[in-house]
Amino acid sequence: MSTSSRSCFVVLVLVCVYVAYLVIGALVFSALEKPLEEKVQAELNLLKQQLISNMSCINISTLEQLLETLLNANKYGVSLGQNTSENSNWDLASALFFSNTLVTTIGYGHTTPLSDVGKAFSIVYALFGVPFTMLVLTACVRRLMVPLNLRPVEFWRRRFGWHPQTARTIHFVMLLLVIVVFFFLLPATIFSLIEDSWSFLEAFYFCFISLCTIGLGDFVPGENPNQKLRPLYKISVMIYLFLGLMAMYFVLRSFHKLADVRGWTAFFHLPTCDDEGEEEKDNIIEEPNECETDTKPLDPGARASYNSISR
């Protein structure tokens, strides 16, 4: 089988596995969530009928209009019991938090623009903000690759004489443990203490959903009306999300390096991780290669000449 045919076959297998994975996930979610959805819908219908039967003076059309208005308002992050004088979805801290979730593509959906102008501005803002965010993350991660990735691997190779595959694998495992502790376990513990209604599992779930940029929006920090220091809390979460995304991107870059060393990228016919640049390469001191020093061309003046041979 030629290289081109093998590459097409591997890609086809990956696509088939991915489609099967999506179908299985859809079936599982449907089996788990659809009965609960039907149960909640039945309870809502029952409450509506009880309200109508007990209070016959209420107009049905008025009640339905009220319910529809409440649902639409809740979609935009506005609730009936919200006190706009104390908590607002568009104060400075909340607006910063919304902007951060917009350009990082997390998008919880708990707060959305109400006006047409706001919607149009969101399109333009995200159009430039999303690639700019990626540019910033990429620039930061590239500069962290040398001190946190290349140098430790090179140090362990020289200090312990490890094979490049062994050194990079151990480095990636250690890096993964550090990321899990400082960006998942520790923040989840803090969130579970600050958010009264969140368990540790729910806080860990929020961290994972957020840093993977899934952003389901079922758990959003700082939405409790009685939240203390809400502006500072929102800004702190915003900083955590940005640093967390940077850490996740750093993990992906490190995994790509590991895949290059292990030969996985070549096996799947994927592009290798791009070089870190001449500036970064200069920061890593490499030992001289004996083969290179021995194979340097001799000085022309030092070469033997046949004319000097006495006949």
PDB file of all heavy atoms in Angstrom, residues 181 184-195 198-200 203-204 207:
ATOM      1  N   VAL A 181      -3.535  19.606  39.251  1.00  0.00           N
ATOM      2  CA  VAL A 181      -3.586  20.073  40.639  1.00  0.00           C
ATOM      3  C   VAL A 181      -3.893  21.569  40.704  1.00  0.00           C
ATOM      4  O   VAL A 181      -4.794  22.003  41.439  1.00  0.00           O
ATOM      5  CB  VAL A 181      -2.258  19.751  41.351  1.00  0.00           C
ATOM      6  CG1 VAL A 181      -2.209  20.446  42.721  1.00  0.00           C
ATOM      7  CG2 VAL A 181      -2.098  18.250  41.528  1.00  0.00           C
ATOM      8  N   PHE A 184      -7.305  22.484  38.221  1.00  0.00           N
ATOM      9  CA  PHE A 184      -8.554  21.745  38.355  1.00  0.00           C
ATOM     10  C   PHE A 184      -8.880  21.444  39.821  1.00  0.00           C
ATOM     11  O   PHE A 184      -9.934  21.859  40.316  1.00  0.00           O
ATOM     12  CB  PHE A 184      -8.497  20.442  37.549  1.00  0.00           C
ATOM     13  CG  PHE A 184      -8.538  20.655  36.065  1.00  0.00           C
ATOM     14  CD1 PHE A 184      -7.365  20.738  35.330  1.00  0.00           C
ATOM     15  CD2 PHE A 184      -9.739  20.773  35.391  1.00  0.00           C
ATOM     16  CE1 PHE A 184      -7.395  20.948  33.958  1.00  0.00           C
ATOM     17  CE2 PHE A 184      -9.789  20.976  34.026  1.00  0.00           C
ATOM     18  CZ  PHE A 184      -8.607  21.065  33.310  1.00  0.00           C
ATOM     19  N   LEU A 185      -8.005  20.737  40.514  1.00  0.00           N
ATOM     20  CA  LEU A 185      -8.305  20.328  41.882  1.00  0.00           C
ATOM     21  C   LEU A 185      -8.341  21.520  42.841  1.00  0.00           C
ATOM     22  O   LEU A 185      -9.313  21.693  43.597  1.00  0.00           O
ATOM     23  CB  LEU A 185      -7.274  19.299  42.351  1.00  0.00           C
ATOM     24  CG  LEU A 185      -7.283  17.957  41.612  1.00  0.00           C
ATOM     25  CD1 LEU A 185      -6.178  17.050  42.144  1.00  0.00           C
ATOM     26  CD2 LEU A 185      -8.637  17.286  41.748  1.00  0.00           C
ATOM     27  N   LEU A 186      -7.295  22.335  42.809  1.00  0.00           N
ATOM     28  CA  LEU A 186      -7.243  23.492  43.715  1.00  0.00           C
ATOM     29  C   LEU A 186      -8.337  24.513  43.405  1.00  0.00           C
ATOM     30  O   LEU A 186      -9.049  24.961  44.322  1.00  0.00           O
ATOM     31  CB  LEU A 186      -5.856  24.131  43.652  1.00  0.00           C
ATOM     32  CG  LEU A 186      -5.590  25.285  44.626  1.00  0.00           C
ATOM     33  CD1 LEU A 186      -5.769  24.810  46.062  1.00  0.00           C
ATOM     34  CD2 LEU A 186      -4.181  25.841  44.426  1.00  0.00           C
ATOM     35  N   PRO A 187      -8.541  24.929  42.142  1.00  0.00           N
ATOM     36  CA  PRO A 187      -9.665  25.842  41.868  1.00  0.00           C
ATOM     37  C   PRO A 187     -11.019  25.244  42.189  1.00  0.00           C
ATOM     38  O   PRO A 187     -11.919  25.961  42.653  1.00  0.00           O
ATOM     39  CB  PRO A 187      -9.527  26.124  40.373  1.00  0.00           C
ATOM     40  CG  PRO A 187      -8.105  25.877  40.059  1.00  0.00           C
ATOM     41  CD  PRO A 187      -7.699  24.753  40.941  1.00  0.00           C
ATOM     42  N   ALA A 188     -11.205  23.939  41.960  1.00  0.00           N
ATOM     43  CA  ALA A 188     -12.480  23.306  42.292  1.00  0.00           C
ATOM     44  C   ALA A 188     -12.744  23.369  43.790  1.00  0.00           C
ATOM     45  O   ALA A 188     -13.886  23.600  44.225  1.00  0.00           O
ATOM     46  CB  ALA A 188     -12.491  21.859  41.805  1.00  0.00           C
ATOM     47  N   THR A 189     -11.709  23.192  44.589  1.00  0.00           N
ATOM     48  CA  THR A 189     -11.867  23.311  46.051  1.00  0.00           C
ATOM     49  C   THR A 189     -12.253  24.729  46.430  1.00  0.00           C
ATOM     50  O   THR A 189     -13.140  24.942  47.280  1.00  0.00           O
ATOM     51  CB  THR A 189     -10.557  22.912  46.747  1.00  0.00           C
ATOM     52  OG1 THR A 189     -10.191  21.581  46.353  1.00  0.00           O
ATOM     53  CG2 THR A 189     -10.718  22.971  48.252  1.00  0.00           C
ATOM     54  N   ILE A 190     -11.614  25.715  45.813  1.00  0.00           N
ATOM     55  CA  ILE A 190     -11.927  27.120  46.120  1.00  0.00           C
ATOM     56  C   ILE A 190     -13.352  27.464  45.692  1.00  0.00           C
ATOM     57  O   ILE A 190     -14.106  28.105  46.427  1.00  0.00           O
ATOM     58  CB  ILE A 190     -10.904  28.046  45.440  1.00  0.00           C
ATOM     59  CG1 ILE A 190      -9.499  27.788  46.010  1.00  0.00           C
ATOM     60  CG2 ILE A 190     -11.293  29.505  45.626  1.00  0.00           C
ATOM     61  CD1 ILE A 190      -8.411  28.568  45.321  1.00  0.00           C
ATOM     62  N   PHE A 191     -13.746  27.033  44.496  1.00  0.00           N
ATOM     63  CA  PHE A 191     -15.105  27.311  44.016  1.00  0.00           C
ATOM     64  C   PHE A 191     -16.156  26.652  44.909  1.00  0.00           C
ATOM     65  O   PHE A 191     -17.208  27.236  45.163  1.00  0.00           O
ATOM     66  CB  PHE A 191     -15.268  26.826  42.571  1.00  0.00           C
ATOM     67  CG  PHE A 191     -14.685  27.749  41.551  1.00  0.00           C
ATOM     68  CD1 PHE A 191     -13.772  27.285  40.608  1.00  0.00           C
ATOM     69  CD2 PHE A 191     -15.036  29.097  41.516  1.00  0.00           C
ATOM     70  CE1 PHE A 191     -13.228  28.137  39.666  1.00  0.00           C
ATOM     71  CE2 PHE A 191     -14.496  29.949  40.571  1.00  0.00           C
ATOM     72  CZ  PHE A 191     -13.587  29.476  39.649  1.00  0.00           C
ATOM     73  N   SER A 192     -15.887  25.443  45.361  1.00  0.00           N
ATOM     74  CA  SER A 192     -16.857  24.759  46.225  1.00  0.00           C
ATOM     75  C   SER A 192     -17.006  25.446  47.573  1.00  0.00           C
ATOM     76  O   SER A 192     -18.062  25.341  48.209  1.00  0.00           O
ATOM     77  CB  SER A 192     -16.442  23.298  46.425  1.00  0.00           C
ATOM     78  OG  SER A 192     -15.181  23.213  47.084  1.00  0.00           O
ATOM     79  N   LEU A 193     -15.973  26.166  48.004  1.00  0.00           N
ATOM     80  CA  LEU A 193     -16.057  26.916  49.260  1.00  0.00           C
ATOM     81  C   LEU A 193     -16.743  28.268  49.069  1.00  0.00           C
ATOM     82  O   LEU A 193     -17.478  28.729  49.947  1.00  0.00           O
ATOM     83  CB  LEU A 193     -14.653  27.127  49.836  1.00  0.00           C
ATOM     84  CG  LEU A 193     -13.899  25.867  50.277  1.00  0.00           C
ATOM     85  CD1 LEU A 193     -12.488  26.222  50.737  1.00  0.00           C
ATOM     86  CD2 LEU A 193     -14.655  25.142  51.390  1.00  0.00           C
ATOM     87  N   ILE A 194     -16.503  28.905  47.926  1.00  0.00           N
ATOM     88  CA  ILE A 194     -17.098  30.224  47.687  1.00  0.00           C
ATOM     89  C   ILE A 194     -18.561  30.096  47.271  1.00  0.00           C
ATOM     90  O   ILE A 194     -19.426  30.826  47.778  1.00  0.00           O
ATOM     91  CB  ILE A 194     -16.286  30.977  46.613  1.00  0.00           C
ATOM     92  CG1 ILE A 194     -14.866  31.251  47.132  1.00  0.00           C
ATOM     93  CG2 ILE A 194     -16.979  32.292  46.245  1.00  0.00           C
ATOM     94  CD1 ILE A 194     -13.985  31.934  46.114  1.00  0.00           C
ATOM     95  N   GLU A 195     -18.842  29.186  46.337  1.00  0.00           N
ATOM     96  CA  GLU A 195     -20.206  28.979  45.866  1.00  0.00           C
ATOM     97  C   GLU A 195     -20.922  28.011  46.811  1.00  0.00           C
ATOM     98  O   GLU A 195     -20.600  26.828  46.857  1.00  0.00           O
ATOM     99  CB  GLU A 195     -20.200  28.423  44.433  1.00  0.00           C
ATOM    100  CG  GLU A 195     -19.512  29.322  43.417  1.00  0.00           C
ATOM    101  CD  GLU A 195     -20.364  30.529  43.065  1.00  0.00           C
ATOM    102  OE1 GLU A 195     -21.583  30.513  43.353  1.00  0.00           O
ATOM    103  OE2 GLU A 195     -19.818  31.493  42.494  1.00  0.00           O
ATOM    104  N   TRP A 198     -22.567  24.812  45.242  1.00  0.00           N
ATOM    105  CA  TRP A 198     -21.750  23.920  44.424  1.00  0.00           C
ATOM    106  C   TRP A 198     -21.075  22.876  45.283  1.00  0.00           C
ATOM    107  O   TRP A 198     -20.486  23.188  46.331  1.00  0.00           O
ATOM    108  CB  TRP A 198     -20.667  24.690  43.669  1.00  0.00           C
ATOM    109  CG  TRP A 198     -21.168  25.583  42.593  1.00  0.00           C
ATOM    110  CD1 TRP A 198     -22.459  25.975  42.362  1.00  0.00           C
ATOM    111  CD2 TRP A 198     -20.375  26.230  41.585  1.00  0.00           C
ATOM    112  NE1 TRP A 198     -22.523  26.809  41.289  1.00  0.00           N
ATOM    113  CE2 TRP A 198     -21.271  26.997  40.784  1.00  0.00           C
ATOM    114  CE3 TRP A 198     -19.027  26.240  41.272  1.00  0.00           C
ATOM    115  CZ2 TRP A 198     -20.834  27.752  39.712  1.00  0.00           C
ATOM    116  CZ3 TRP A 198     -18.589  26.999  40.210  1.00  0.00           C
ATOM    117  CH2 TRP A 198     -19.497  27.749  39.430  1.00  0.00           C
ATOM    118  N   SER A 199     -21.137  21.639  44.855  1.00  0.00           N
ATOM    119  CA  SER A 199     -20.340  20.590  45.468  1.00  0.00           C
ATOM    120  C   SER A 199     -18.959  20.570  44.807  1.00  0.00           C
ATOM    121  O   SER A 199     -18.714  21.263  43.813  1.00  0.00           O
ATOM    122  CB  SER A 199     -21.022  19.227  45.322  1.00  0.00           C
ATOM    123  OG  SER A 199     -21.128  18.870  43.943  1.00  0.00           O
ATOM    124  N   PHE A 200     -18.066  19.751  45.344  1.00  0.00           N
ATOM    125  CA  PHE A 200     -16.730  19.678  44.741  1.00  0.00           C
ATOM    126  C   PHE A 200     -16.804  19.115  43.329  1.00  0.00           C
ATOM    127  O   PHE A 200     -16.096  19.582  42.429  1.00  0.00           O
ATOM    128  CB  PHE A 200     -15.812  18.808  45.607  1.00  0.00           C
ATOM    129  CG  PHE A 200     -14.445  18.610  45.023  1.00  0.00           C
ATOM    130  CD1 PHE A 200     -13.468  19.588  45.132  1.00  0.00           C
ATOM    131  CD2 PHE A 200     -14.130  17.436  44.342  1.00  0.00           C
ATOM    132  CE1 PHE A 200     -12.206  19.412  44.580  1.00  0.00           C
ATOM    133  CE2 PHE A 200     -12.872  17.251  43.795  1.00  0.00           C
ATOM    134  CZ  PHE A 200     -11.908  18.236  43.913  1.00  0.00           C
ATOM    135  N   ALA A 203     -17.999  21.826  41.041  1.00  0.00           N
ATOM    136  CA  ALA A 203     -16.943  22.816  40.814  1.00  0.00           C
ATOM    137  C   ALA A 203     -15.877  22.273  39.871  1.00  0.00           C
ATOM    138  O   ALA A 203     -15.390  22.988  38.983  1.00  0.00           O
ATOM    139  CB  ALA A 203     -16.317  23.223  42.147  1.00  0.00           C
ATOM    140  N   PHE A 204     -15.512  21.007  40.036  1.00  0.00           N
ATOM    141  CA  PHE A 204     -14.549  20.390  39.123  1.00  0.00           C
ATOM    142  C   PHE A 204     -15.129  20.299  37.717  1.00  0.00           C
ATOM    143  O   PHE A 204     -14.419  20.513  36.718  1.00  0.00           O
ATOM    144  CB  PHE A 204     -14.173  18.997  39.638  1.00  0.00           C
ATOM    145  CG  PHE A 204     -13.039  18.363  38.882  1.00  0.00           C
ATOM    146  CD1 PHE A 204     -11.733  18.549  39.297  1.00  0.00           C
ATOM    147  CD2 PHE A 204     -13.275  17.581  37.772  1.00  0.00           C
ATOM    148  CE1 PHE A 204     -10.676  17.970  38.606  1.00  0.00           C
ATOM    149  CE2 PHE A 204     -12.233  17.005  37.064  1.00  0.00           C
ATOM    150  CZ  PHE A 204     -10.931  17.190  37.486  1.00  0.00           C
ATOM    151  N   CYS A 207     -14.797  23.680  36.109  1.00  0.00           N
ATOM    152  CA  CYS A 207     -13.434  23.948  35.656  1.00  0.00           C
ATOM    153  C   CYS A 207     -13.132  23.212  34.357  1.00  0.00           C
ATOM    154  O   CYS A 207     -12.546  23.787  33.431  1.00  0.00           O
ATOM    155  CB  CYS A 207     -12.434  23.539  36.739  1.00  0.00           C
ATOM    156  SG  CYS A 207     -12.544  24.500  38.266  1.00  0.00           S
TER     157      CYS A 207
END
